[in-house]
Amino acid sequence: MAYVPGVALLAALAVGCSAGSGGGASDADSKPGNPAVTTAPPGKYRTLPAPCRAVPDSTLKDLLPGIAQLSRQQQEKALRGAATITYDTDRKVGCSWKSTAPDSSRNLTIDFERVVSYDPAVSDEDRARALYVKKENAAELPGTGGGSPEKGKGATASAEGEEKEKGTSKPGGDQGSADPSASPSPSASASGAPGPSGSGNEDLRPRVLDGLGDAAFLDDLLTRAGSTAQHRTVSVVFRTSNVLVTVRYGEQPTLVTKVPDSKELQEKARSLARKLAEAISG
């Protein structure tokens, strides 16, 4: 019988065990048919702004001129706004304000929605993009598609140069004021400016907006029921990553024959939307 020193025997056993265990792990890792499971990345935003504090007091006073005529205590109450009732403030929040002046009443509402996808294969941003497209399509912007998928039917609206007006008395068709003599002609904007056929006129039609978030559109709705004054609501909806923001700004003049100024409402609604987009992105 050959004699093997104790040290040599231990070394041989150690080498054998190491080789056996290493080979087993290598075999398991190299087996085909075990692809890595990938999960879509989470959304960029995990929280939402406090909606009733999202608009500075100075901006609110500009948007709601009737507030300046109130007493100090009434102003403070009006500026606080009314929070939207929601059951999940981590996902959806909103706030609204209103004021009444001798010549008109105005109202403002902002909504924030943080989109979360529960499908591991769909990112929060992709889910938010799909919801935004649904909102844009529901607005039925004039014009036909073109450009990115998010621009939907409103991509060429800026080339049309005409404002959309919808009434509440007739579903579909050509809507507008119940009293034709109280409304501007189809070739004139509600602000009294020359119609789209004139040179250098600003487009006031509902349309896709550039330079606001990742995608945005504006809708302009003029309604009138019976003999009441006309009410115009301008809505600006935009998406920034996985957050959807809606700004609704409306005016109803005291005089039945007066048409709310579309240009002013649109400019102020867009300006506020830009401020909110900047505040969200930080």
Side-chain angles (χ1 to χ4, degrees), residues 54-111:
V55 186
D57 288 354
S58 58
T59 302
L60 287 173
K61 290 179 180 179
D62 178 56
L63 294 170
L64 308 168
I67 290 180
Q69 303 173 20
L70 301 176
S71 66
R72 181 175 180 179
Q73 185 176 6
Q74 290 174 324
Q75 283 190 33
E76 291 176 354
K77 181 179 179 180
L79 292 172
R80 283 198 297 268
T84 302
I85 297 176
T86 178
Y87 298 99
D88 189 353
T89 55
D90 191 48
R91 292 283 304 279
K92 192 171 184 179
V93 294
C95 193
S96 60
W97 299 262
K98 61 181 179 180
S99 70
T100 301
D103 59 339
S104 68
S105 62
R106 299 202 184 194
N107 58 280
L108 170 68
T109 301
I110 59 173
D111 291 309

Side-chain angles (χ1 to χ4, degrees), residues 45 90-91 114-119 123-124 127-128 131 242:
Y45 300 105
D90 191 48
R91 292 283 304 279
R114 186 176 68 89
V115 180
V116 176
S117 171
Y118 294 101
D119 184 346
S123 69
D124 294 346
R127 176 60 178 159
L131 291 178
N242 63 313

Side-chain angles (χ1 to χ4, degrees), residues 166-190:
K166 297 178 182 177
T168 57
S169 58
K170 297 179 181 179
D174 186 12
Q175 303 291 338
S177 168
D179 180 5
S181 64
S183 301
S185 65
S187 62
S189 72

Side-chain angles (χ1 to χ4, degrees), residues 264-277:
E264 178 197 3
L265 296 180
Q266 288 192 22
E267 288 178 347
K268 290 186 174 183
R270 291 182 64 182
S271 176
L272 175 57
R274 285 193 294 268
K275 292 177 180 178
L276 294 177

Side-chain angles (χ1 to χ4, degrees), residues 68-251:
Q69 303 173 20
L70 301 176
S71 66
R72 181 175 180 179
Q73 185 176 6
Q74 290 174 324
Q75 283 190 33
E76 291 176 354
K77 181 179 179 180
L79 292 172
R80 283 198 297 268
T84 302
I85 297 176
T86 178
Y87 298 99
D88 189 353
T89 55
D90 191 48
R91 292 283 304 279
K92 192 171 184 179
V93 294
C95 193
S96 60
W97 299 262
K98 61 181 179 180
S99 70
T100 301
D103 59 339
S104 68
S105 62
R106 299 202 184 194
N107 58 280
L108 170 68
T109 301
I110 59 173
D111 291 309
F112 299 97
E113 181 179 0
R114 186 176 68 89
V115 180
V116 176
S117 171
Y118 294 101
D119 184 346
V122 179
S123 69
D124 294 346
E125 184 167 348
D126 286 341
R127 176 60 178 159
R129 182 181 292 108
L131 291 178
Y132 168 84
V133 171
K134 186 176 180 180
K135 288 178 178 289
E136 183 182 309
N137 289 339
E140 298 183 347
L141 305 179
T144 54
S148 68
E150 282 192 312
K151 293 192 175 183
K153 296 183 291 183
T156 61
S158 60
E160 303 294 337
E162 189 178 63
E163 181 183 3
K164 176 181 73 175
E165 294 183 353
K166 297 178 182 177
T168 57
S169 58
K170 297 179 181 179
D174 186 12
Q175 303 291 338
S177 168
D179 180 5
S181 64
S183 301
S185 65
S187 62
S189 72
S191 60
S197 59
S199 60
N201 291 320
E202 183 178 358
D203 175 26
L204 296 177
R205 291 190 67 175
R207 61 200 180 277
V208 166
L209 300 175
D210 295 325
L212 177 59
D214 296 315
F217 71 88
L218 177 148
D219 199 7
D220 190 325
L221 184 65
L222 181 66
T223 59
R224 181 173 182 174
S227 60
T228 61
Q230 299 183 81
H231 186 279
R232 184 181 296 280
T233 300
V234 171
S235 300
V236 175
V237 180
F238 70 90
R239 179 185 70 82
T240 174
S241 187
N242 63 313
V243 171
L244 299 177
V245 181
T246 301
V247 174
R248 287 186 293 273
Y249 182 43
E251 179 186 11

